[in-house]
């Protein structure tokens, strides 16, 4: 226990150091970028517009400082404004609202920056009073040219943000397609693999002689399992009720094979909401694949469905050799990452393994 505790502290220490290092790098990057913007904007604007500055170093210093600060405030302010608007309204979901907010925020921010910068310059550099600075600010720097320059900067910023978001969405769509293909392959492989067919036919052979009515029921359940896999293979989400019916058919087949050595408990409070297709089957299948199932060590699986989550937990008695590719649970995590902001919760100890799936809601 002491060794584990020290290892945990060691990991936490490195995690803290890693986060601190990332923050330091981020701050250094921001500072470096700000210096470049300040120098470029100050020197460029001064050399371009102030011809008298060539003969007066003091005037050149003042103009470089003013212009550099002007560019820095407009550039970084626009950058943070774009990031803030990105967190509220997506270009892809609210294009009109996002455009209106962008233009309005640009104009308001630019006017405030120019007005406050002019007043500060008049009072701190030229020594004017506050009233004189206010009057000069109202009649001073033309805002039309400034707003046009800022619109150009923001057009670049917002266009970049739109392209990044569009590109990320395309990547996410391709990832989901890949995950769906992987899920289809894994599910079909589980159902069609020789072991599954051999065990199913073995169970069916025994049933034909011992209980013909149950044999007919077995064949019907088996056909429903295959039909569900084929019918739902292109769906992103399916109603919970459909998943429950499919899981019950799948469990029926497994119970015929393992008998009382497989103990299932299913509790459903409400059949509302959605899950990724085959989600429950993946978790039940994982429990069966990874654990010993015998009279001495029966496998206990409990499924609980509430309005907020679906919990699947099983007892642990791990096999030495496992017939598993190990991609089922990772695949399920990836689909949840794409479909919602909710995450799968996984907890395990020496006796139990639990997976909690958030219930998905569809926006109407």
């Amino acid at each position: 226990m002491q060794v584990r505790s020290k290892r945990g502290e060691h990991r936490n220490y490195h995690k803290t150091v890693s986060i601190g290092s990332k923050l330091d790098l981020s701050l250094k990057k921001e500072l470096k970028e700000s210096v470049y913007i300040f120098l470029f904007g100050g020197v460029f604007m001064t050399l371009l517009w102030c011809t008298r500055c060539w003969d007066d170093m003091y005037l050149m210093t003042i103009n470089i400082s003013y212009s550099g600060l002007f560019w820095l405030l407009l550039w970084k302010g626009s950058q943070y404004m774009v990031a803030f608007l990105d967190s509220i309204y997506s270009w892809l979901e609210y294009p009109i609202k996002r455009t209106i907010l962008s233009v309005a925020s640009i104009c308001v921010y630019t006017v405030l920056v120019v007005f406050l910068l002019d007043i500060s310059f008049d009072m701190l550099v030229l020594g004017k009073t506050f009233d004189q600075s206010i009057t000069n600010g109202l009649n001073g720097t033309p805002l039309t040219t400034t707003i046009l320059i800022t619109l150009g900067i923001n057009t670049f910023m917002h266009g970049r943000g739109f392209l990044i978001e569009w590109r990320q969405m395309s990547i996410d769509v391709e990832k989901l397609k890949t995950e769906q293909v992987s899920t289809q392959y894994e599910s079909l492989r589980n159902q069609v693999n020789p072991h599954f067919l051999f065990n199913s036919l073995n169970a069916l052979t025994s049933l034909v002689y011992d209980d013909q009515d149950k044999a007919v029921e077995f064949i019907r359940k088996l056909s429903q399992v295959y039909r569900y896999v084929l019918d739902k293979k292109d769906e992103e989400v399916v109603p919970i009720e459909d998943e429950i019916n499919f899981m019950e058919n799948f469990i029926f087949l497994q119970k015929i094979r393992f008998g009382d050595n497989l103990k299932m408990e299913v509790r459903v409070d409400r059949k509302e909401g959605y899950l990724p297709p085959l989600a429950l089957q993946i978790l039940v299948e994982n429990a069966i694949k990874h654990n010993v199932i015998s009279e001495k060590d029966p496998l206990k699986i409990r499924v609980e469905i509430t309005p907020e989550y679906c919990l699947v937990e099983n007892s642990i008695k791990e096999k030495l050799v496992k017939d598993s590719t190990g991609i089922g649970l990772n695949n399920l995590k990836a689909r949840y990452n794409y479909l919602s902001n909710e995450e799968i919760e996984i907890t395990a100890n020496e006796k139990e393994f639990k997976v909690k799936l958030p219930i998905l809601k569809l926006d109407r």
Side-chain angles (χ1 to χ4, degrees):
M1 292 299 293
Q2 291 179 352
V3 174
R4 289 184 180 178
S5 177
K6 289 181 179 179
R7 287 179 179 175
E9 291 175 3
H10 189 64
R11 285 196 297 269
N12 291 334
Y13 169 76
H14 279 287
K15 185 177 181 181
T16 304
V17 171
S18 177
I19 294 173
S21 300
K22 289 180 180 179
L23 289 174
D24 288 342
L25 290 175
S26 178
L27 290 174
K28 288 179 181 178
K29 181 181 177 182
E30 284 289 315
L31 182 59
K32 188 176 181 180
E33 187 177 287
S34 298
V35 170
Y36 285 154
I37 294 171
F38 179 86
L39 292 176
F40 172 78
V43 174
F44 175 77
M45 294 293 289
T46 299
L47 296 179
L48 186 64
W49 299 106
C50 184
T51 56
R52 294 181 300 164
C53 293
W54 291 94
D55 302 322
D56 190 337
M57 288 301 298
Y58 175 75
L59 185 60
M60 177 176 286
T61 302
I62 294 299
N63 273 274
I64 289 177
S65 301
Y66 177 86
S67 300
L69 190 58
F70 174 81
W71 271 75
L72 179 62
L73 289 174
L74 291 183
W75 189 284
K76 298 303 289 185
S78 299
Q79 181 178 332
Y80 294 139
M81 193 184 304
V82 169
F84 176 72
L85 291 176
D86 282 342
S87 66
I88 300 177
Y89 295 108
S90 167
W91 274 111
L92 302 177
E93 295 180 6
Y94 309 99
I96 298 177
K97 186 177 292 187
R98 177 60 189 274
T99 301
I100 295 173
L101 279 176
S102 297
V103 174
S105 60
I106 290 168
C107 294
V108 172
Y109 179 74
T110 302
V111 171
L112 287 175
V113 167
V114 173
F115 187 70
L116 294 176
L117 193 59
D118 281 348
I119 291 176
S120 301
F121 179 81
D122 286 346
M123 293 180 65
L124 298 176
V125 179
L126 302 180
K128 295 182 180 181
T129 65
F130 180 74
D131 292 338
Q132 290 173 332
S133 300
I134 291 291
T135 303
N136 184 66
L138 294 173
N139 300 318
T141 306
L143 291 177
T144 305
T145 302
T146 305
I147 289 177
L148 288 176
I149 293 174
T150 311
L151 280 172
I153 295 174
N154 276 269
T155 298
F156 168 77
M157 293 287 187
H158 288 278
R160 177 176 173 272
F162 171 79
L163 290 175
I164 290 175
E165 190 170 338
W166 174 78
R167 178 175 176 271
Q168 186 60 47
M169 188 188 74
S170 301
I171 292 173
D172 289 342
V173 169
E174 290 302 317
K175 282 183 178 179
L176 180 64
K177 289 180 180 178
T178 302
E179 297 297 339
Q180 285 179 327
V181 171
S182 178
T183 299
Q184 294 166 23
Y185 168 78
E186 175 72 2
S187 299
L188 290 172
R189 190 192 71 83
N190 289 338
Q191 305 305 328
V192 184
N193 72 55
H195 294 291
F196 179 81
L197 288 176
F198 175 79
N199 292 324
S200 298
L201 292 175
N202 251 354
L204 182 60
T205 301
S206 299
L207 287 176
V208 167
Y209 291 104
D210 298 337
D211 191 334
Q212 294 185 3
D213 291 336
K214 186 171 284 189
V216 172
E217 181 70 6
F218 185 92
I219 294 172
R220 188 174 67 84
K221 297 287 188 182
L222 185 61
S223 67
Q224 288 176 351
V225 165
Y226 278 97
R227 179 177 292 278
Y228 184 86
V229 172
L230 295 174
D231 288 346
K232 305 299 182 181
K233 63 185 179 66
D234 296 323
E235 301 291 335
E236 291 184 357
V237 294
V238 294
I240 287 179
E241 187 171 2
D242 292 352
E243 272 290 289
I244 294 173
N245 293 335
F246 169 70
M247 182 189 65
E248 289 175 347
N249 291 333
F250 180 78
I251 291 173
F252 177 87
L253 300 179
Q254 299 299 329
K255 289 281 289 183
I256 294 297
R257 175 185 172 190
F258 295 107
D260 293 335
N261 297 331
L262 176 61
K263 301 183 182 299
M264 290 290 309
E265 178 186 348
V266 180
R267 176 184 173 186
V268 181
D269 290 343
R270 188 181 299 178
K271 298 181 180 180
E272 295 180 2
Y274 297 83
L275 287 173
L278 310 180
L280 297 179
Q281 182 263 343
I282 287 175
L283 298 180
V284 173
E285 181 78 10
N286 275 351
I288 293 174
K289 283 183 177 181
H290 287 81
N291 294 282
V292 173
I293 305 177
S294 64
E295 186 176 353
K296 180 182 177 182
D297 295 300
L299 177 63
K300 300 176 183 178
I301 302 177
R302 188 173 75 90
V303 179
E304 179 183 357
I305 297 177
T306 73
E308 301 299 327
Y309 63 84
C310 171
L311 175 67
V312 179
E313 63 180 9
N314 62 269
S315 57
I316 294 179
K317 182 67 175 180
E318 292 193 14
K319 294 178 180 178
L320 296 178
V321 180
K322 303 171 185 176
D323 177 27
S324 174
T325 60
I327 67 172
L329 195 55
N330 290 331
N331 178 280
L332 199 54
K333 288 181 184 177
R335 283 193 285 164
Y336 261 91
N337 288 336
Y338 175 81
L339 292 170
S340 73
N341 295 323
E342 303 285 344
E343 292 186 356
I344 295 175
E345 294 183 23
I346 302 174
T347 55
N349 54 42
E350 296 179 353
K351 295 182 178 180
E352 291 180 325
F353 184 82
K354 300 180 181 181
V355 180
K356 184 182 287 188
L357 304 177
I359 300 299
L360 302 175
K361 312 293 183 182
L362 294 186
D363 295 331
R364 297 297 184 183

